[in-house]
Amino acid sequence: MEVVSNLFVKDRVAIVGAGLTTFMRRALETPRELAWEAARQALDQAGLTLKDIDCVVIGSAPDTFDGVHMKGEYLADGSGAINKPMTRVYVGGGTGVFVPVSAWWHVASGLCRTVLAVSEEKMSPAHPHPQYVFRYIWDPILHRPLEPNLIWIFAMEMRRYMAKCGAKKEDIALVSVKNKRNALDNPAAQVAANITVDDVLKSELLVWPVNELDISPVSDGAAALVIASENVARQVTDSPVWIDGVGFTLDNQHWENRELAFPRYLNYAARMAYRMAGIERPWKEIDVAEPYDPFDYKELHHIEGLMLARPCEAWKLLKEGYFERDGELPTSPSGGLLGVGNPIAAAGTMKVAELFWQLRYEAGKRQVKKPVHKAVANAWGDLMQAGTVIVLSN
């Protein structure tokens, strides 16, 4: 038995299979069918069937996206959870990484030997647009009378980052250019494209300084992972990908009381995950990363929160090619949310699946050029204050 910080870990945990549907607008499949398509792929890669799975963890964002109540119960059969212990976790956009984090503690505690972790989101049924769902998430006394929407708030955060760090819009747009280009090699991608900084700057202005191509699209899709104890992992594969560290924290939900230029919610979660993984210098020890990028400025924000660059330095390294797929520290080799798509919960799990394939050298055209041994992914959500982090190794 091993004691890591204040966490009691009974068993080492690995990912042994991953699956991913195509991300798209207005999928014809039902949410259950999307969940099963991803789950079946993950089981097939692991060489397992549902009979081999002890527990199921499901992740999904607000029920109102899919228009069904009690989404966890609704998705149970599509996720293989019939007659098995099933848990649904939900921390908004942070859910996609929180799903494998939850699966980790199911196995690390000794409760389960194998967990099928499934994330699904079908945003298309939300009419007239998913943004309308967010009208009802705000504090009813302080915020709702202002009638905010998420883009309005993210615009404040992007503006604050630009003002404090000296970054210009064209510097930030390079993230969208990089990620959409990376997504050209991803068969699951929804909005892969060869675009220029000028294309981003000339796209429709939504709320200054946010333009349409600064933002990831509305998407439907699912992703899944098979997570197992060390004993099972070594039986089913010669190349398990180990979960070395996990982190999750919440900051104050009142964004007006926070320093918007730096993601403190993420920094605390990252420090927790790195401590578990024994990583002291992430900027030197991490080989590839999938920072959460629903907006282009958020990839820079999160690179700094993950301590892969100093505060206010990520945009400068980006201009030097540091985060390109053949760069010193590749970020979002999958194409990220900006290129692959953003079905909320599934998007974060897609990033963990990408790192699983990168660490097994199975990413095909997306495989980064440098040798890879350690990787990190994060997601972010709720009212901009939830941070979730996972550290992997091969």
Side-chain angles (χ1 to χ4, degrees):
M1 305 227 179
E2 181 183 3
V3 176
V4 179
S5 184
N6 60 337
L7 298 177
F8 189 68
V9 177
K10 186 174 183 180
D11 209 345
R12 198 178 183 196
V13 183
I15 303 174
V16 296
L20 181 67
T21 70
T22 301
F23 287 2
M24 67 191 83
R25 189 79 163 103
R26 298 187 179 87
L28 296 179
E29 294 86 351
T30 67
R32 287 170 171 148
E33 289 170 334
L34 289 170
W36 175 242
E37 182 180 339
R40 180 185 51 76
Q41 289 180 29
L43 287 167
D44 286 349
Q45 183 165 31
L48 300 175
T49 70
L50 282 179
K51 292 181 180 178
D52 302 307
I53 297 298
D54 293 336
C55 305
V56 174
V57 174
I58 294 173
S60 183
D63 293 353
T64 42
F65 279 151
D66 286 38
V68 295
H69 184 50
M70 305 292 281
K71 184 84 174 285
E73 286 82 342
Y74 170 80
L75 284 175
D77 52 358
S79 303
I82 301 301
N83 293 326
K84 298 179 188 295
M86 186 275 285
T87 303
R88 177 194 178 186
V89 295
Y90 168 45
V91 284
T95 302
V97 169
F98 203 50
V99 166
V101 167
S102 176
W104 171 85
W105 74 58
H106 278 68
V107 176
S109 66
L111 177 66
C112 315
R113 294 167 304 169
T114 53
V115 176
L116 183 56
V118 184
S119 301
E120 183 277 339
E121 213 74 68
K122 188 169 182 178
M123 302 174 70
S124 294
H127 290 289
H129 190 278
Q131 277 292 335
Y132 282 75
V133 171
F134 298 121
R135 296 173 68 179
Y136 307 102
I137 66 175
W138 312 109
D139 183 292
I141 306 299
L142 296 176
H143 299 147
R144 198 175 297 174
L146 300 174
E147 299 184 354
N149 64 48
L150 289 184
I151 298 176
W152 184 75
I153 294 171
F154 298 155
M156 286 195 302
E157 193 175 61
M158 180 173 172
R159 186 72 185 92
R160 175 61 183 156
Y161 180 82
M162 292 168 63
K164 181 162 185 177
C165 298
K168 299 177 181 176
K169 270 185 61 68
E170 49 265 43
D171 301 324
I172 292 172
L174 284 169
V175 176
S176 192
V177 172
K178 171 180 71 73
N179 290 3
K180 287 181 180 294
R181 184 177 62 242
N182 283 349
L184 289 168
D185 295 324
N186 194 328
Q190 178 182 348
V191 286
N194 255 324
I195 62 170
T196 65
V197 168
D198 206 38
D199 291 329
V200 179
L201 300 181
K202 290 182 177 176
S203 61
E204 181 182 356
L205 179 64
L206 302 178
V207 181
W208 171 260
V210 177
N211 291 64
E212 183 180 5
L213 289 179
D214 289 310
I215 306 180
S216 56
V218 173
S219 310
D220 302 341
L225 304 165
V226 176
I227 293 176
S229 66
E230 180 173 10
N231 185 42
V232 172
R234 293 197 185 281
Q235 290 179 36
V236 302
T237 181
D238 294 329
S239 51
V241 170
W242 303 105
I243 300 177
D244 290 342
V246 299
F248 41 98
T249 59
L250 288 173
D251 200 349
N252 188 330
Q253 79 172 94
H254 296 287
W255 68 85
E256 65 273 16
N257 292 339
R258 301 207 306 259
E259 168 52 88
L260 297 180
F262 185 76
R264 192 175 60 170
Y265 57 86
L266 170 60
N267 191 247
Y268 281 104
R271 289 177 185 276
M272 173 183 172
Y274 290 143
R275 186 166 60 247
M276 288 178 62
I279 290 177
E280 297 179 350
R281 300 186 302 164
W283 58 93
K284 290 285 188 184
E285 297 177 60
I286 295 295
D287 299 309
V288 57
E290 283 280 346
Y292 197 63
D293 62 320
F295 288 65
D296 44 13
Y297 81 94
K298 286 306 292 188
E299 175 157 318
L300 302 172
H301 216 221
H302 287 157
I303 285 171
E304 293 168 12
L306 288 167
M307 294 179 284
L308 304 178
R310 292 189 180 92
C312 292
E313 295 289 329
W315 68 270
K316 299 172 186 173
L317 294 173
L318 176 72
K319 292 179 70 173
E320 297 170 3
Y322 194 82
F323 301 119
E324 296 288 338
R325 197 181 277 159
D326 58 356
E328 187 72 21
L329 203 173
T331 59
S332 297
S334 66
L337 280 58
L338 290 162
V340 185
N342 187 13
I344 305 292
T349 306
M350 176 275 289
K351 284 185 163 284
V352 181
E354 175 69 15
L355 294 181
F356 168 76
W357 290 317
Q358 290 284 345
L359 288 166
R360 286 169 49 123
Y361 293 88
E362 294 176 347
K365 292 181 179 178
R366 304 187 309 281
Q367 188 68 46
V368 303
K369 301 304 179 188
K370 63 184 288 189
V372 287
H373 302 289
K374 294 183 183 296
V376 65
N378 85 284
W380 158 69
D382 264 359
L383 290 173
M384 301 169 57
Q385 84 279 33
T388 52
V389 177
I390 191 166
V391 176
L392 307 176
S393 71
N394 55 18

